Amino acid sequence: MTAVGTQYSSNRRDQLIEAAAACFDRDGFDGASIRRIAAEVGMQTASIYYHFEGKDDLLVAVHERGLRSIIEATSRAIEGIEPGWDRVQAACTAHLHTLLGEEPIFKAIMAPLPSTLGVREQIVEMREAYEQIFRDLIDELDLPDGTDRRHLRLILLGAMNWSFTWFRGDRSDIEAFAGSVVTDLRAPLDTGR
Amino acid sequence: MTAVGTQYSSNRRDQLIEAAAACFDRDGFDGASIRRIAAEVGMQTASIYYHFEGKDDLLVAVHERGLRSIIEATSRAIEGIEPGWDRVQAACTAHLHTLLGEEPIFKAIMAPLPSTLGVREQIVEMREAYEQIFRDLIDELDLPDGTDRRHLRLILLGAMNWSFTWFRGDRSDIEAFAGSVVTDLRAPLDTGR
DNA sequence: GTCTATATGCTGATAGAC
DNA sequence: GTCTATCAGCATATAGAC
């Protein structure tokens, strides 16, 4: 065990989170099995319960790690950029690079959740902490009177998050889509038009 | 059994499709169980296998019925409207009313599919037949040079289809969101601005 | 067409040894 | 911390009577 501030972590626990994220992404939360997650790190099923209370807890842990990481990445991407559409652009590009990149954990933390999930509310709350970044960015924009800023945020995030259902491509395709997302929304709403 | 053209149907079969759609919507495909679907129409589990080959086949049947219905609804909504953004607007409003309305089958046919699903490709193909309507609508638009029409379609459908993850509201909220979707995308690309 | 009964397998989770 | 062994439950699917 290594202490990092008040956060404790171990290699084994981290490995389990990573394996769980890959399984949740590939098979969905319901489709993933504790047995297989354990097998992927060379453990027995029962050993998982030393590190986590159960499958739900594992999903929460995946979100804790993934969201902390994407919040850092997106925050860093908008650092030093003036408020306005350029800043939104930077955030969207970072969001899509993270979401559509190689690490499956980010697809897992954006995927729609089973409505029957016990820890659903808790996870929705965690996701909202990330979406606050976009809330702030859109609040900073100079928009035409009557523009619904909440809708604008939901359109932006919806267009991006839905992309995991159809996207098959490389880095340059990600950049191109990020460009389209902001261009298609920016021009009609840009007060400097 | 009643013959309708080459399509055969029975009340029981239809009831099963309806019950399956509700379960798939509420519990997800993996979370839904054949047992419960049967119970909801007052049948025994085994009796389902007289009407359908298995769970996958049931999902395909749900899509056949739901997609046929939403294709009709959206086609009817754009009838008689001149090509252009007004037509896109009409299609989006119809799409959102159907998707976010009372009948769960339409949420079931737009939900992301487990990537491990055997009949996945078949269903994706069926969905594309519906999305062809939007492909055509966007092809008809007069847009600035360099606009990526495929991206525009994916942004539009993504923004709308993601709404099932957050939308809680009534008819007037649906109208309002449909308005935002088109307004936010329309102005900048509208050559008549 | 629908039933009862059942085969077979996988699930999350626990008990307790080491 | 990790193991072996196991529990209890639910899953899809099938066989065969009526």
Side-chain angles (χ1 to χ4, degrees), chain A residues 30 34 48 50 64 78 91 131-133 137 176 181 184 189:
Chain A
D30 287 324
I34 294 279
I48 286 198
Y50 172 80
E64 274 167 1
I78 62 176
E131 290 176 11
Q132 184 63 41
I133 295 178
L137 286 173
V181 168
D184 291 356
L189 296 175

Side-chain angles (χ1 to χ4, degrees), chain B residues 79-151:
Chain B
E79 248 176 22
I81 302 179
E82 292 292 300
W85 279 99
D86 286 348
R87 222 154 171 236
V88 175
Q89 169 98 271
C92 288
T93 305
H95 180 78
L96 285 168
H97 268 126
T98 308
L99 182 64
L100 301 174
E102 309 247 301
E103 295 195 56
I105 189 169
F106 300 109
K107 288 185 241 318
I109 60 172
M110 289 298 158
L113 299 167
S115 54
T116 47
L117 188 68
V119 289
R120 188 189 153 89
E121 289 310 314
Q122 185 182 347
I123 286 174
V124 167
E125 210 172 305
M126 292 167 69
R127 287 183 182 176
E128 269 166 15
Y130 172 59
E131 290 176 12
Q132 184 63 40
I133 294 178
F134 288 86
R135 210 183 288 255
D136 292 343
L137 286 173
I138 287 169
D139 277 349
E140 289 167 356
L141 290 176
D142 192 10
L143 296 172
D145 287 350
T147 304
D148 189 315
R149 290 168 192 266
R150 175 170 164 267
H151 282 174

